[in-house]
Amino acid sequence: GHGVTWFLVSILASFIKVNGKEFRKKILTEDWHSRLHSAHPERWRNRAGEMPTPFSVITAEEVRIGLWQYQGSSEMQQKMLEYLVANEATANRHRIWPPHCIKGTWGQLIYEPLMASCLQWGVRNNTSPLHFRKGGAEIPEHYGAFYAEVKDSTDISTMENWDLLNELEELDEIVIAGLARDICVARTAEQLIELSEVGVSEFRVAEKLVFLSDCTAAVDEANGESFFFRMRELGARVCTSQELFA
């Protein structure tokens, strides 16, 4: 919720103010969703005309038998079904989320305390933070910063973001914070390890990663801790913002 986000952002903003000089780059990834994104309730109706509840799951089989209908043209309905099938083939499920990060609204903006800290860092270092948007396509989920959960070759926004990867690969250490630890943060780290330079082992890439535990939060705490465990196993570091430069 907003309370948790504000709390985490205030910690991260203070950390950047104090320790900004330690960083060469600031990279902000931003969700950029349509209100009618397929993961928002408004895109779906059941046989009674009701929308799904947030955090529920819609499966390809439920769509096939008519329990849920995607709101759109017959062509878009077929495309949605094909997406669900492809998504489930990778052991993913299509989860419904509360509408969030809607294009053109305040909810899509970087929280003001964090943005202010990043801009101040930019002025002091005669540079600007970098921004990368994700999730602009209406059907696929786009949890990780590098590509959508199911890529669409006709929509470049769903494909691999090599520009972001190039910005990161030259760095010796990558400090990661944000929401949600078990979803977007996790998928971003997993995709980074996967896409990194051919010939570099996943352990070598993971060893660059540092996760600020007090500047992230999970939707499911057990999944969040499981993610941190996997990253530690690969050589990543998990610490609080106070511990990083102690």
Side-chain angles (χ1 to χ4, degrees), residues 32-182:
W32 176 249
H33 295 319
S34 163
R35 181 61 188 257
L36 292 178
H37 188 273
S38 70
H40 291 164
E42 289 88 344
R43 260 304 194 189
W44 296 93
R45 297 292 187 279
N46 63 15
R47 289 169 176 168
E50 301 165 328
M51 293 185 291
T53 58
F55 309 109
S56 60
V57 170
I58 292 177
T59 68
E61 181 60 22
E62 289 172 337
V63 173
R64 283 194 190 99
I65 64 177
L67 289 182
W68 291 106
Q69 185 178 63
Y70 184 74
Q71 302 301 291
S73 66
S74 58
E75 180 183 356
M76 290 299 292
Q77 289 174 352
Q78 179 60 31
K79 191 172 182 179
M80 185 70 221
L81 179 58
E82 291 170 358
Y83 165 77
L84 292 173
V85 171
N87 195 43
E88 291 171 17
T90 61
N92 287 331
R93 293 295 180 268
H94 189 66
R95 190 170 300 278
I96 301 299
W97 301 101
H100 62 285
C101 299
I102 306 301
K103 299 175 185 179
T105 72
W106 69 268
Q108 190 277 320
L109 301 176
I110 300 295
Y111 271 56
E112 193 278 332
L114 177 57
M115 194 69 250
S117 289
C118 289
L119 291 175
Q120 289 169 7
W121 166 86
V123 170
R124 289 194 297 268
N125 292 276
N126 198 33
T127 188
S128 296
L130 302 175
H131 294 254
F132 289 91
R133 287 175 171 169
K134 64 186 180 74
E138 290 199 356
I139 285 184
E141 273 290 15
H142 202 142
Y143 293 132
F146 293 94
Y147 57 82
E149 293 303 301
V150 175
K151 291 174 279 190
D152 179 354
S153 61
T154 68
D155 185 345
I156 193 172
S157 74
T158 70
M159 303 299 287
E160 291 89 347
N161 190 332
W162 299 113
D163 289 338
L164 174 56
L165 186 66
N166 291 337
E167 292 290 346
L168 294 172
E169 282 198 321
E170 66 181 63
L171 302 177
D172 296 323
E173 190 170 67
I174 302 167
V175 179
I176 300 175
L179 298 171
R181 178 190 304 167
D182 53 330

